[in-house]
Amino acid sequence: GGNGVGTRGPNADVDGRHGANPVGASGGSRGGAVKRAWRRARSMAAELHATASESDHYPPRARPSAGEQTVSVESLDSFVFHLCLVAMVMLLGYLLRIPFVAIEETFPEGTFLARSKLLSALPLFLFCLLGGLLLQALIDRYATDAATSKSFVDRETVLRITNTAQDILIVAAISRLGRSGLPPGVHGLSN
């Protein structure tokens, strides 16, 4: 048919035109929308690139120090030493939790404390926090230079390690969530 109105064949476009190019120069409303979206994406990318040096990366002359070397490199890398300190705090927290779980085993069968599993439900994080406080007190008392008030622990290095561990923890927690947004085995109030 003549003007193409109402004629729809297998090669017809959505608007009924045969052989129309939806993203071409004469692409009509869809072509204009695609061009506008492309321009908007390019301007957003340019804006992101312009601000990236302020938000994501430090310029070469303004980079802060990542930490101080507190241990001789010949004996052990300072980063690995601080990583071992964090691991020691975690081990200390685990060891502090063991007596609480053992005490819970001594409760008589059928009592509230035996059924509730209250002591074993205490998170390991709490005990690691207490272990960290204990280790910090020992370092402050026995391994801190009185003249400079500095110890062999570099705060910036420990912050780098703990921030990385926190990032990994968040990603692991999010990846563990099921489709319902709850961890496996946990049911909402509707069940």
Side-chain angles (χ1 to χ4, degrees):
N3 62 8
V5 177
T7 59
R8 302 211 23 115
N11 296 328
D13 248 340
V14 175
D15 59 355
R17 293 181 294 160
H18 288 275
N21 183 0
V23 290
S26 63
S29 64
R30 282 189 296 163
V34 170
K35 286 181 183 180
R36 282 191 302 276
W38 179 250
R39 271 187 255 137
R40 183 169 177 233
R42 280 193 358 213
S43 71
M44 288 172 61
E47 180 182 338
L48 181 64
H49 181 60
T51 60
S53 61
E54 298 170 6
S55 62
D56 295 338
H57 304 285
Y58 292 106
R61 288 183 170 54
R63 291 181 181 162
S65 172
E68 283 184 358
Q69 295 288 331
T70 60
V71 179
S72 174
V73 177
E74 287 83 22
S75 60
L76 182 66
D77 182 59
S78 187
F79 185 79
V80 173
F81 172 73
H82 286 82
L83 193 62
C84 290
L85 284 177
V86 172
M88 190 179 348
V89 166
M90 292 170 57
L91 177 66
L92 192 56
Y94 181 77
L95 293 175
L96 286 173
R97 187 174 183 264
I98 289 174
F100 286 89
V101 176
I103 289 171
E104 188 174 68
E105 298 294 324
T106 64
F107 294 144
E109 201 62 36
T111 63
F112 169 75
L113 291 174
R115 283 181 289 142
S116 66
K117 304 275 187 204
L118 201 59
L119 295 179
S120 63
L122 291 173
L124 181 61
F125 170 77
L126 172 68
F127 295 101
C128 289
L129 184 65
L130 294 174
L133 290 173
L134 179 65
L135 186 63
Q136 183 66 49
L138 290 172
I139 290 171
D140 287 346
R141 179 158 177 113
Y142 298 110
T144 301
D145 184 20
T148 61
S149 298
K150 285 193 167 196
S151 70
F152 55 83
V153 178
D154 179 46
R155 179 174 171 75
E156 295 302 317
T157 305
V158 172
L159 282 175
R160 284 177 44 216
I161 294 169
T162 55
N163 287 342
T164 302
Q166 183 180 10
D167 292 344
I168 293 169
L169 181 67
I170 290 170
V171 169
I174 290 172
S175 67
R176 184 146 163 73
L177 294 178
R179 289 184 183 170
S180 66
L182 296 172
V186 177
H187 303 288
L189 296 175
S190 61
N191 291 350

